[in-house]
Amino acid sequence: MSTDVDSEGEFETSSGGFDTDSLTGVGLEWTHRTESLFHAVLFGASVLGVVVLAVLIVDVILDALTGLAIGLDPVTFLTQHYSNDSSQAGFLGAIVGSVLLLFFTFLFSFFLGVGTAVYLEEYAPNTRVTRLIEANLTNLAGVPSVVYGLLALGVFVNGLRMGPILLAGSIALALLVVPIVIVASQEALRSVPDGMRNGSLATGATRWQTVRGVVLPSAMPGIVTGTILALARAIGETAPLLMVGTVWGLRHTPGPFDRFGAMTTQIYQWAFLPETELNFLAAMGIAVLLAILLGMYGVAFLVRNKYERSY
Amino acid sequence: MAQTDSLITTDVSVTDRERTSRPDETVVRADGLEVHYGEERALTDVDIDIPERKVTAIIGPSGCGKSTFLRCVNRMNDQIDTCRIDGDLSFHGKNVYDDDVDPVALRRKIGMVFQKPNPFPKSIRDNVAYGLRVQGKTDDVDARVRQALEGAALWEEVEGQLDSSGLDLSGGQQQRLCIARAIAPDPEVLLMDEPTSALDPVAAAKIEDLIADLAREYTVIIVTHNMQQAARISDKTAVFLTGGELVEFDDTATIFEDPDDQRVEDYITGRFG
Ligand SMILES: Nc1ncnc2c1ncn2[C@@H]1O[C@H](COP(=O)(O)OP(=O)(O)O)[C@@H](O)[C@H]1O
Ligand SMILES: [Mg+2]
């Protein structure tokens, strides 16, 4: 349809020789069909991941339930230390080890990571060196975790003679996590509109007052979410801790300067041994680990939803 | 001059200046001001004397350097890596690009309102108090916040909700909040870069009304692409044309009724006609 204006300035519509049949979609059937096919393939691909994950989780839960059915006691499991007798064996030391590892990993990685991100985004001049550093941070975030374990073993455990203590383990995890925290924090800082910075500077704030008063608070939900997700990765790591040297069968609650183990290494040990009962213990351990991970993801999700805003 | 010394340190003392009326005293003066972004020239040899406590409008087609000029006055151009400034731009006779001028101190004398309202994701109170806090003017914060909100004609609308977020306000209210934020620390000059272009006509009219009041206390320099707006609210008008050239600067009435320069006349009649 076209619109014409006649001499009086009023509007009048006419088909003006326009072929309205061309709007019926004849000839588009094939295009629509391939479109639906693509849609189905993409949907299938996205569902596949979820299905595999669901199968794994169901399998673990079934094993854990079987463990309970054959008389493994969940209270014993959560309150006792490792024992060679599977009915007496518990996960307590491993849980405490993981929580402490997580705490120190957070301490070592958060301030370093956020500080680096703030420097790179808010202060660093846009030079070749800066861009080189940024590119390498992204690469570091992809380095296999066992490498960080070897690094911690060489530098901290042996080099600085820390020995295979919990702090050395958390240093290994912090090395692993720092690049991830930096990259996530950079993303969060970049999402703060420049209008905020300009508004602050134009009000007579210094650069640091602007960062502290406006930019960081606005970026904090993103930074916190990113950090939690990075820590969730850390708590699921096994290899770097094995490199540093964990206790095979943790019979005590480790402190920061003690030899240590973690949930993952304990699960690894149980799953490795031939007795099926121990495999059920491993499944119960995985269930606990998954519950904690789920909790962390939940917190990250809540932070993101509660504080996410549009400008 | 006393004011110039205080640009040099960031520690600006809080004095409510006695603002005696000295008609047409120049506050901001450009002398041979040239600005480049990399190789591209944005302002060409600009000379202008902007009078105290008047509304000076800057008009011209888009890309002619209006915002660039404004950002020279409070050195917000410092934020742009490629930006290079030659010539003089003085505030009370002191070249603001002298080595001993601290841009932070300068900006404490010269507030700015941007094209897109940019309130902080903070409460209304904290938005207005922000400048006071960063400038260390922490006495009587509540009274100053109220005064600034009244000055920005926003007090009555937000009186009961000072603790709710500035982002929850409408666009026009957000822009007045930004005006309140800019005037709360009591600057001398208020720079406004197309402050109504992102707003609906009713909200824009409110801000236009406000500008006349602001000029009683502040020197207002306002960029606008809306010539009717310039004609309505300004005492002086500067017309920039493509190439970053200041073509004519005079009383607003003269610019709109009897401009010297043919290009200005063409530009104005072209838009009005
Ligand atoms: N940050 C910048 N980097 C490079 N060039 C810029 C920048 N800001 C403005 N310019 C250029 O300077 C000229 C003037 O821009 P501007 O001052 O924004 O004009 P106006 O506000 O009158 O529309 C334009 O040609 C624009 O492309
Ligand atoms: Mg502009």
Side-chain angles (χ1 to χ4, degrees), chain A residues 125-126 193-207 209-214 217-218 309-311, chain B residues 10 74 76 79 81 104 107-108 110-112 114 116 118-122 130-135 167 181-182 185:
Chain A
N126 185 17
D194 271 339
M196 297 283 143
R197 295 179 181 85
N198 289 335
S200 171
L201 292 171
T203 315
T206 62
R207 189 89 73 101
Q209 284 175 326
T210 299
V211 168
R212 203 193 48 195
V214 176
S218 305
R309 53 184 139 236
S310 51
Y311 296 95
Chain B
T10 54
N74 65 346
M76 285 299 282
Q79 300 305 117
D81 289 341
V104 173
R107 292 178 198 136
R108 292 178 177 192
I110 301 178
M112 187 167 195
F114 297 81
K116 187 166 176 287
N118 57 355
F120 303 136
K122 298 174 183 292
Y130 185 79
L132 300 172
R133 300 227 164 91
V134 298
Q135 300 187 21
L167 296 179
R181 180 177 74 194

Short mmCIF file of all heavy atoms in Angstrom, two decimals, chain A residues 125-126 193-207 209-214 217-218 309-311, chain B residues 10 74 76 79 81 104 107-108 110-112 114 116 118-122 130-135 167 181-182 185:
data_model
loop_
_atom_site.label_atom_id
_atom_site.label_comp_id
_atom_site.label_asym_id
_atom_site.label_seq_id
_atom_site.Cartn_x
_atom_site.Cartn_y
_atom_site.Cartn_z
N PRO A 125 47.75 3.55 31.04
CA PRO A 125 47.65 4.19 29.73
C PRO A 125 47.45 3.10 28.68
O PRO A 125 47.86 1.96 28.87
CB PRO A 125 49.01 4.87 29.57
CG PRO A 125 49.94 4.09 30.44
CD PRO A 125 49.12 3.60 31.59
N ASN A 126 46.80 3.45 27.61
CA ASN A 126 46.51 2.46 26.58
C ASN A 126 47.73 2.26 25.68
O ASN A 126 47.79 2.74 24.56
CB ASN A 126 45.30 2.94 25.76
CG ASN A 126 44.87 1.89 24.75
OD1 ASN A 126 45.25 0.73 24.85
ND2 ASN A 126 44.11 2.30 23.76
N PRO A 193 29.10 2.75 32.89
CA PRO A 193 29.15 3.72 31.80
C PRO A 193 30.12 4.87 32.10
O PRO A 193 30.27 5.28 33.25
CB PRO A 193 27.72 4.25 31.72
CG PRO A 193 26.93 3.55 32.73
CD PRO A 193 27.79 2.66 33.53
N ASP A 194 30.76 5.38 31.04
CA ASP A 194 31.68 6.50 31.21
C ASP A 194 30.99 7.74 31.76
O ASP A 194 31.63 8.58 32.39
CB ASP A 194 32.36 6.84 29.89
CG ASP A 194 33.64 6.05 29.70
OD1 ASP A 194 34.18 5.57 30.71
OD2 ASP A 194 34.08 5.90 28.55
N GLY A 195 29.67 7.82 31.51
CA GLY A 195 28.92 8.95 32.06
C GLY A 195 29.07 9.06 33.57
O GLY A 195 29.12 10.15 34.13
N MET A 196 29.17 7.91 34.25
CA MET A 196 29.37 7.90 35.71
C MET A 196 30.72 8.54 36.05
O MET A 196 30.82 9.39 36.93
CB MET A 196 29.42 6.47 36.24
CG MET A 196 28.16 5.70 36.07
SD MET A 196 26.96 6.20 37.26
CE MET A 196 25.52 6.09 36.25
N ARG A 197 31.75 8.10 35.36
CA ARG A 197 33.09 8.63 35.65
C ARG A 197 33.13 10.12 35.37
O ARG A 197 33.62 10.90 36.18
CB ARG A 197 34.12 7.91 34.78
CG ARG A 197 34.26 6.45 35.10
CD ARG A 197 35.29 5.78 34.19
NE ARG A 197 35.40 4.37 34.50
CZ ARG A 197 34.61 3.42 34.02
NH1 ARG A 197 33.65 3.76 33.18
NH2 ARG A 197 34.77 2.17 34.37
N ASN A 198 32.57 10.52 34.21
CA ASN A 198 32.59 11.94 33.87
C ASN A 198 31.81 12.76 34.88
O ASN A 198 32.24 13.84 35.27
CB ASN A 198 32.03 12.15 32.46
CG ASN A 198 32.98 11.62 31.40
OD1 ASN A 198 34.18 11.54 31.63
ND2 ASN A 198 32.44 11.26 30.25
N GLY A 199 30.64 12.23 35.28
CA GLY A 199 29.84 12.95 36.26
C GLY A 199 30.61 13.17 37.54
O GLY A 199 30.57 14.25 38.14
N SER A 200 31.35 12.16 37.95
CA SER A 200 32.12 12.28 39.19
C SER A 200 33.30 13.24 39.03
O SER A 200 33.49 14.14 39.85
CB SER A 200 32.62 10.89 39.61
OG SER A 200 33.53 11.01 40.67
N LEU A 201 34.06 13.08 37.95
CA LEU A 201 35.22 13.96 37.75
C LEU A 201 34.77 15.41 37.62
O LEU A 201 35.38 16.32 38.19
CB LEU A 201 35.98 13.54 36.49
CG LEU A 201 36.69 12.19 36.58
CD1 LEU A 201 37.22 11.78 35.21
CD2 LEU A 201 37.84 12.25 37.58
N ALA A 202 33.67 15.63 36.90
CA ALA A 202 33.20 16.99 36.68
C ALA A 202 32.67 17.62 37.97
O ALA A 202 32.53 18.82 38.06
CB ALA A 202 32.12 17.02 35.60
N THR A 203 32.37 16.78 38.96
CA THR A 203 31.92 17.30 40.24
C THR A 203 33.11 17.62 41.14
O THR A 203 32.95 17.96 42.31
CB THR A 203 30.97 16.29 40.91
OG1 THR A 203 30.05 15.83 39.92
CG2 THR A 203 30.16 16.93 42.03
N GLY A 204 34.31 17.47 40.61
CA GLY A 204 35.49 17.85 41.39
C GLY A 204 36.10 16.70 42.16
O GLY A 204 36.86 16.92 43.10
N ALA A 205 35.78 15.47 41.77
CA ALA A 205 36.39 14.31 42.43
C ALA A 205 37.72 13.99 41.76
O ALA A 205 37.90 14.22 40.56
CB ALA A 205 35.46 13.10 42.34
N THR A 206 38.65 13.46 42.54
CA THR A 206 39.89 12.97 41.96
C THR A 206 39.62 11.62 41.31
O THR A 206 38.54 11.04 41.46
CB THR A 206 40.97 12.78 43.04
OG1 THR A 206 40.49 11.79 43.96
CG2 THR A 206 41.24 14.07 43.79
N ARG A 207 40.62 11.13 40.59
CA ARG A 207 40.49 9.83 39.94
C ARG A 207 40.17 8.73 40.97
O ARG A 207 39.27 7.92 40.77
CB ARG A 207 41.79 9.52 39.21
CG ARG A 207 41.75 8.33 38.32
CD ARG A 207 41.31 8.65 36.91
NE ARG A 207 42.31 9.36 36.13
CZ ARG A 207 43.11 8.78 35.22
NH1 ARG A 207 43.05 7.49 35.02
NH2 ARG A 207 43.94 9.50 34.52
N GLN A 209 38.94 9.10 44.04
CA GLN A 209 37.60 9.29 44.62
C GLN A 209 36.54 8.76 43.67
O GLN A 209 35.53 8.18 44.10
CB GLN A 209 37.35 10.78 44.89
CG GLN A 209 38.09 11.31 46.11
CD GLN A 209 37.93 12.81 46.28
OE1 GLN A 209 37.85 13.56 45.30
NE2 GLN A 209 37.89 13.26 47.52
N THR A 210 36.76 8.96 42.39
CA THR A 210 35.81 8.46 41.39
C THR A 210 35.75 6.93 41.40
O THR A 210 34.68 6.34 41.40
CB THR A 210 36.21 8.97 39.99
OG1 THR A 210 36.18 10.39 40.01
CG2 THR A 210 35.29 8.45 38.92
N VAL A 211 36.93 6.32 41.45
CA VAL A 211 36.98 4.86 41.47
C VAL A 211 36.29 4.33 42.73
O VAL A 211 35.43 3.45 42.67
CB VAL A 211 38.44 4.36 41.40
CG1 VAL A 211 38.52 2.88 41.71
CG2 VAL A 211 39.01 4.64 40.02
N ARG A 212 36.66 4.91 43.86
CA ARG A 212 36.16 4.39 45.13
C ARG A 212 34.69 4.73 45.35
O ARG A 212 33.93 3.92 45.86
CB ARG A 212 37.00 4.95 46.27
CG ARG A 212 36.99 4.12 47.53
CD ARG A 212 37.58 4.93 48.66
NE ARG A 212 36.97 6.26 48.66
CZ ARG A 212 37.44 7.31 49.32
NH1 ARG A 212 38.55 7.21 50.00
NH2 ARG A 212 36.82 8.47 49.27
N GLY A 213 34.29 5.93 44.97
CA GLY A 213 32.96 6.39 45.29
C GLY A 213 31.89 5.99 44.29
O GLY A 213 30.73 5.85 44.66
N VAL A 214 32.27 5.80 43.04
CA VAL A 214 31.25 5.56 42.01
C VAL A 214 31.51 4.28 41.22
O VAL A 214 30.65 3.42 41.09
CB VAL A 214 31.19 6.75 41.02
CG1 VAL A 214 30.22 6.45 39.90
CG2 VAL A 214 30.78 8.01 41.75
N PRO A 217 31.69 0.76 43.51
CA PRO A 217 30.37 0.33 43.99
C PRO A 217 29.46 -0.13 42.86
O PRO A 217 28.73 -1.11 43.01
CB PRO A 217 29.80 1.58 44.66
CG PRO A 217 30.98 2.41 45.01
CD PRO A 217 32.03 2.12 43.98
N SER A 218 29.53 0.54 41.70
CA SER A 218 28.67 0.13 40.59
C SER A 218 29.12 -1.21 40.03
O SER A 218 28.29 -1.99 39.55
CB SER A 218 28.71 1.16 39.47
OG SER A 218 28.37 2.43 39.97
N ARG A 309 21.68 -3.71 37.54
CA ARG A 309 20.83 -2.57 37.20
C ARG A 309 21.14 -2.08 35.80
O ARG A 309 22.19 -2.34 35.24
CB ARG A 309 21.01 -1.45 38.21
CG ARG A 309 22.46 -1.07 38.37
CD ARG A 309 22.61 -0.02 39.45
NE ARG A 309 23.78 -0.31 40.24
CZ ARG A 309 23.77 -0.46 41.54
NH1 ARG A 309 22.66 -0.37 42.20
NH2 ARG A 309 24.88 -0.69 42.19
N SER A 310 20.19 -1.36 35.28
CA SER A 310 20.45 -0.72 34.00
C SER A 310 20.55 0.78 34.26
O SER A 310 19.95 1.30 35.18
CB SER A 310 19.31 -1.03 33.04
OG SER A 310 18.09 -0.71 33.68
N TYR A 311 21.33 1.45 33.42
CA TYR A 311 21.55 2.86 33.69
C TYR A 311 20.69 3.72 32.80
O TYR A 311 20.38 3.38 31.71
CB TYR A 311 23.04 3.18 33.46
CG TYR A 311 23.90 2.45 34.44
CD1 TYR A 311 24.47 1.25 34.11
CD2 TYR A 311 24.10 2.98 35.71
CE1 TYR A 311 25.25 0.57 35.02
CE2 TYR A 311 24.87 2.30 36.63
CZ TYR A 311 25.45 1.11 36.27
OH TYR A 311 26.20 0.44 37.19
N THR B 10 44.12 21.47 45.58
CA THR B 10 42.80 20.86 45.54
C THR B 10 42.00 21.23 46.79
O THR B 10 40.82 20.94 46.88
CB THR B 10 42.91 19.34 45.49
OG1 THR B 10 43.70 18.92 46.58
CG2 THR B 10 43.46 18.89 44.17
N ASN B 74 36.43 23.16 31.61
CA ASN B 74 36.73 22.48 32.88
C ASN B 74 37.73 21.34 32.70
O ASN B 74 37.86 20.47 33.55
CB ASN B 74 35.44 21.95 33.54
CG ASN B 74 34.75 20.89 32.73
OD1 ASN B 74 35.07 20.68 31.56
ND2 ASN B 74 33.82 20.19 33.34
N MET B 76 37.76 18.73 30.99
CA MET B 76 37.33 17.34 30.85
C MET B 76 37.97 16.71 29.62
O MET B 76 38.00 15.48 29.49
CB MET B 76 35.80 17.24 30.78
CG MET B 76 35.11 17.44 32.11
SD MET B 76 35.56 16.21 33.36
CE MET B 76 34.58 14.81 32.80
N GLN B 79 40.60 13.88 29.72
CA GLN B 79 40.26 12.46 29.75
C GLN B 79 40.47 11.80 28.39
O GLN B 79 40.47 10.57 28.31
CB GLN B 79 38.79 12.26 30.15
CG GLN B 79 38.42 12.79 31.51
CD GLN B 79 39.32 12.22 32.57
OE1 GLN B 79 40.06 12.96 33.21
NE2 GLN B 79 39.29 10.91 32.72
N ASP B 81 42.65 10.84 25.36
CA ASP B 81 44.09 10.70 25.09
C ASP B 81 44.55 11.51 23.88
O ASP B 81 45.62 12.10 23.91
CB ASP B 81 44.42 9.21 24.82
CG ASP B 81 44.33 8.39 26.08
OD1 ASP B 81 44.38 9.00 27.17
OD2 ASP B 81 44.20 7.16 25.98
N VAL B 104 41.46 19.18 39.06
CA VAL B 104 40.47 18.85 40.09
C VAL B 104 40.00 20.13 40.79
O VAL B 104 38.79 20.35 40.99
CB VAL B 104 41.05 17.85 41.11
CG1 VAL B 104 40.09 17.64 42.27
CG2 VAL B 104 41.36 16.53 40.43
N ARG B 107 37.71 22.07 38.47
CA ARG B 107 36.35 21.52 38.34
C ARG B 107 35.52 21.77 39.59
O ARG B 107 34.30 21.65 39.56
CB ARG B 107 36.42 20.03 38.04
CG ARG B 107 36.99 19.75 36.65
CD ARG B 107 37.10 18.28 36.37
NE ARG B 107 38.01 18.05 35.26
CZ ARG B 107 38.95 17.11 35.24
NH1 ARG B 107 39.09 16.31 36.28
NH2 ARG B 107 39.75 16.99 34.21
N ARG B 108 36.19 22.08 40.69
CA ARG B 108 35.43 22.42 41.89
C ARG B 108 34.85 23.82 41.79
O ARG B 108 33.99 24.20 42.58
CB ARG B 108 36.31 22.25 43.13
CG ARG B 108 36.64 20.78 43.34
CD ARG B 108 37.54 20.49 44.50
NE ARG B 108 37.69 19.03 44.59
CZ ARG B 108 38.22 18.39 45.61
NH1 ARG B 108 38.67 19.07 46.65
NH2 ARG B 108 38.30 17.08 45.61
N ILE B 110 33.84 24.88 38.63
CA ILE B 110 33.07 24.85 37.38
C ILE B 110 32.29 23.55 37.31
O ILE B 110 32.86 22.49 37.08
CB ILE B 110 34.02 24.97 36.17
CG1 ILE B 110 34.83 26.27 36.27
CG2 ILE B 110 33.23 24.91 34.87
CD1 ILE B 110 35.82 26.47 35.15
N GLY B 111 31.00 23.63 37.56
CA GLY B 111 30.19 22.41 37.51
C GLY B 111 29.79 22.08 36.09
O GLY B 111 29.88 22.92 35.20
N MET B 112 29.33 20.83 35.88
CA MET B 112 28.94 20.44 34.53
C MET B 112 27.72 19.53 34.54
O MET B 112 27.59 18.65 35.40
CB MET B 112 30.10 19.74 33.83
CG MET B 112 29.84 19.46 32.36
SD MET B 112 31.36 18.99 31.51
CE MET B 112 30.87 19.18 29.81
N PHE B 114 25.55 17.05 31.85
CA PHE B 114 25.80 16.38 30.57
C PHE B 114 24.52 16.19 29.78
O PHE B 114 23.41 16.36 30.28
CB PHE B 114 26.48 15.04 30.82
CG PHE B 114 27.83 15.16 31.46
CD1 PHE B 114 27.96 15.36 32.83
CD2 PHE B 114 28.98 15.12 30.69
CE1 PHE B 114 29.21 15.49 33.41
CE2 PHE B 114 30.23 15.25 31.28
CZ PHE B 114 30.34 15.44 32.64
N LYS B 116 23.26 13.36 28.47
CA LYS B 116 22.46 12.26 28.99
C LYS B 116 22.52 12.34 30.51
O LYS B 116 23.61 12.38 31.07
CB LYS B 116 23.08 10.94 28.51
CG LYS B 116 22.27 9.72 28.81
CD LYS B 116 22.81 8.53 27.99
CE LYS B 116 22.08 7.25 28.34
NZ LYS B 116 22.46 6.72 29.67
N ASN B 118 23.16 11.60 34.08
CA ASN B 118 24.03 10.53 34.58
C ASN B 118 24.08 10.50 36.10
O ASN B 118 25.15 10.61 36.69
CB ASN B 118 25.44 10.69 34.00
CG ASN B 118 26.05 12.05 34.32
OD1 ASN B 118 25.38 12.92 34.88
ND2 ASN B 118 27.30 12.25 33.97
N PRO B 119 22.90 10.33 36.74
CA PRO B 119 22.93 10.20 38.20
C PRO B 119 23.69 8.94 38.59
O PRO B 119 23.75 7.99 37.81
CB PRO B 119 21.45 10.09 38.59
CG PRO B 119 20.78 9.58 37.37
CD PRO B 119 21.55 10.12 36.20
N PHE B 120 24.28 8.96 39.78
CA PHE B 120 24.98 7.76 40.27
C PHE B 120 23.95 6.78 40.81
O PHE B 120 22.88 7.18 41.26
CB PHE B 120 25.95 8.15 41.40
CG PHE B 120 26.96 9.17 40.99
CD1 PHE B 120 27.25 10.24 41.83
CD2 PHE B 120 27.63 9.08 39.77
CE1 PHE B 120 28.20 11.20 41.47
CE2 PHE B 120 28.56 10.03 39.40
CZ PHE B 120 28.85 11.09 40.25
N PRO B 121 24.27 5.49 40.79
CA PRO B 121 23.36 4.51 41.40
C PRO B 121 23.40 4.61 42.92
O PRO B 121 23.83 3.68 43.60
CB PRO B 121 23.89 3.16 40.88
CG PRO B 121 25.29 3.41 40.46
CD PRO B 121 25.41 4.86 40.13
N LYS B 122 23.01 5.74 43.42
CA LYS B 122 23.00 6.01 44.86
C LYS B 122 21.68 6.69 45.18
O LYS B 122 20.91 7.02 44.28
CB LYS B 122 24.12 6.98 45.23
CG LYS B 122 25.54 6.51 44.97
CD LYS B 122 26.49 7.68 45.29
CE LYS B 122 27.93 7.33 44.99
NZ LYS B 122 28.47 6.31 45.88
N TYR B 130 27.28 14.21 46.82
CA TYR B 130 28.54 13.63 46.34
C TYR B 130 29.66 14.67 46.22
O TYR B 130 30.76 14.48 46.74
CB TYR B 130 28.31 12.96 44.98
CG TYR B 130 29.53 12.24 44.47
CD1 TYR B 130 29.87 11.00 44.97
CD2 TYR B 130 30.36 12.83 43.52
CE1 TYR B 130 30.99 10.33 44.52
CE2 TYR B 130 31.50 12.18 43.07
CZ TYR B 130 31.80 10.94 43.57
OH TYR B 130 32.93 10.29 43.14
N GLY B 131 29.36 15.78 45.55
CA GLY B 131 30.37 16.82 45.37
C GLY B 131 30.83 17.39 46.71
O GLY B 131 32.01 17.69 46.90
N LEU B 132 29.87 17.54 47.63
CA LEU B 132 30.23 18.07 48.95
C LEU B 132 31.21 17.13 49.63
O LEU B 132 32.21 17.55 50.20
CB LEU B 132 28.97 18.22 49.81
CG LEU B 132 27.90 19.16 49.27
CD1 LEU B 132 26.63 19.07 50.11
CD2 LEU B 132 28.43 20.59 49.28
N ARG B 133 30.93 15.82 49.54
CA ARG B 133 31.78 14.85 50.23
C ARG B 133 33.18 14.82 49.61
O ARG B 133 34.17 14.90 50.33
CB ARG B 133 31.15 13.45 50.16
CG ARG B 133 29.78 13.41 50.80
CD ARG B 133 29.60 12.22 51.73
NE ARG B 133 28.44 12.44 52.60
CZ ARG B 133 27.20 12.04 52.30
NH1 ARG B 133 26.96 11.37 51.19
NH2 ARG B 133 26.20 12.29 53.13
N VAL B 134 33.23 14.73 48.28
CA VAL B 134 34.57 14.62 47.68
C VAL B 134 35.35 15.92 47.85
O VAL B 134 36.58 15.91 47.87
CB VAL B 134 34.54 14.23 46.18
CG1 VAL B 134 33.91 12.86 45.99
CG2 VAL B 134 33.86 15.26 45.33
N GLN B 135 34.65 17.04 48.01
CA GLN B 135 35.35 18.30 48.19
C GLN B 135 35.57 18.62 49.65
O GLN B 135 36.04 19.72 49.99
CB GLN B 135 34.58 19.43 47.50
CG GLN B 135 34.42 19.19 46.01
CD GLN B 135 33.81 20.39 45.29
OE1 GLN B 135 33.86 21.50 45.76
NE2 GLN B 135 33.25 20.14 44.12
N LEU B 167 18.23 6.64 40.36
CA LEU B 167 17.93 6.02 39.07
C LEU B 167 16.43 5.78 38.90
O LEU B 167 15.97 5.52 37.79
CB LEU B 167 18.68 4.69 38.94
CG LEU B 167 20.20 4.77 38.90
CD1 LEU B 167 20.79 3.39 38.78
CD2 LEU B 167 20.68 5.63 37.75
N ARG B 181 23.29 18.20 41.78
CA ARG B 181 24.61 17.66 42.12
C ARG B 181 25.70 18.65 41.72
O ARG B 181 26.67 18.84 42.44
CB ARG B 181 24.80 16.33 41.40
CG ARG B 181 26.12 15.66 41.68
CD ARG B 181 26.19 14.33 40.98
NE ARG B 181 26.38 14.47 39.55
CZ ARG B 181 26.20 13.47 38.67
NH1 ARG B 181 25.82 12.29 39.09
NH2 ARG B 181 26.40 13.68 37.39
N ALA B 182 25.51 19.28 40.56
CA ALA B 182 26.53 20.20 40.07
C ALA B 182 26.58 21.48 40.90
O ALA B 182 27.66 22.03 41.12
CB ALA B 182 26.29 20.53 38.60
N PRO B 185 28.04 21.97 45.50
CA PRO B 185 29.28 22.49 46.07
C PRO B 185 29.49 23.97 45.75
O PRO B 185 30.56 24.50 46.00
CB PRO B 185 30.37 21.64 45.40
CG PRO B 185 29.68 20.60 44.62
CD PRO B 185 28.31 21.09 44.34
#
